[in-house]
Amino acid sequence: MEQLPKTIIVGITDRKLDYQAQRSSLDEASLLVETYGGEVVEVLTQNTSHRDSGTFIGSGKVEEIKRLVEDKGVEIVVINSDLKTSQLYNLAKAIGVSAECEVWDRTQLILEIFKKHASTSEAKLQIKLAELHHHGPEMAGIGEEMSQQGGGIGARGIGETQTEIMRRHWRDQISAVKKKLEKVSLTRNQQMKHRRKSGVPTVSIVGYTNAGKSTLFNTLGEKEDLVKDSLFATLDSSVSSMYLQNVGRKVYLSDTIGFIQDLPTTLIQAFSSTLQESVNADLLLHVVDISDPEYYLKIQTVKQILSEIEMQDKSVIYVLNKMDRLSKSQQTELSSQFGDKLHIMVSASKKTGIDDLILLIEKQLVKQGLTRADHLSYLDQME
């Protein structure tokens, strides 16, 4: 049996901030490590008052990590925050007990998961672009790459320093990746334009990762997505269609990447072409794992990201998923908390409440101007 890489997670705590949110972020980091394929052997916390600008965490915490790396044979240290490239470098150097031990921040951990799950050229290029933006011109490999290319006088411009060369090389790499991404994204954009011109509405599924988005997509649509009980099982946007029986029309249905707490802006930007499916939607289905005690925090996270990609004003149905895990009284209580927000309880895996959800989707799209197909027009006179 293959041994999983032993991992330490280090979280920064601030007494001035919400304790529950900070605890949730640490729990999520453990899930991220498991999704990557690692084994969490220790979770440490560092108070903000002991933070060091050079290594992000205090010298005492660095020594504690160093001992744990030596004693437990740790291969990965994850700092559950977004660090500067220089801080990651200094931290790796300070720990410095083994060339086999890597130091990642939260963004790098997510990127490593993305690398494992990416299956299309578009997703792989999006990840490469996010890495370039995240690490900056000092990213690992650029210096080595340049030294292998010679880096002599002939490779320099007049008065150009090594730092300037690195920055130019970094910009060139970003430009090259963007050009490749534009080419592979062209087909998607053309398909999206065709769907908009056809006048067929698009319903887009959004939500926190692992809330059951792909299960709902498969239940509603005519095409199946991968369903896996792990974070970021779906990276690429998938498009299917669903038939609305009462209006006699098909509409487009799209599933996109799941969101998580503290999803870095660089990743949102890198996956902008994938998220365009949601931006162009007529109706959003915001899937919520209603059995999760922290569902409200996760709703707020999704809303914040939707705001970042300018989708906060879209028409939304809250799909409160996994109702089968709740008692009747819990279902009633949680439903009441949504008040006048448009919502419905379902179990995507058990197909409970799906017919009612489809009726609600129909109703919302009809409000937006969707008309019945000609062969069902007689129903309009009966209402």
Side-chain angles (χ1 to χ4, degrees), residues 250-289:
K250 281 188 176 183
V251 297
Y252 293 118
L253 181 71
S254 73
D255 182 24
T256 56
I257 182 175
F259 302 143
I260 65 163
Q261 208 175 326
D262 305 321
L263 188 62
T265 305
T266 51
L267 296 185
I268 296 170
Q269 289 170 345
F271 280 81
S272 59
S273 59
T274 299
L275 293 169
Q276 283 297 316
E277 297 285 2
S278 298
V279 173
N280 286 293
D282 298 280
L283 177 65
L284 298 182
L285 304 182
H286 181 165
V287 183
V288 179
D289 177 358

Side-chain angles (χ1 to χ4, degrees), residues 143-159:
E144 293 172 18
E145 209 174 296
M146 287 177 57
S147 63
Q148 287 167 6
Q149 292 171 0
I153 295 172
R156 289 174 180 258
I158 297 171

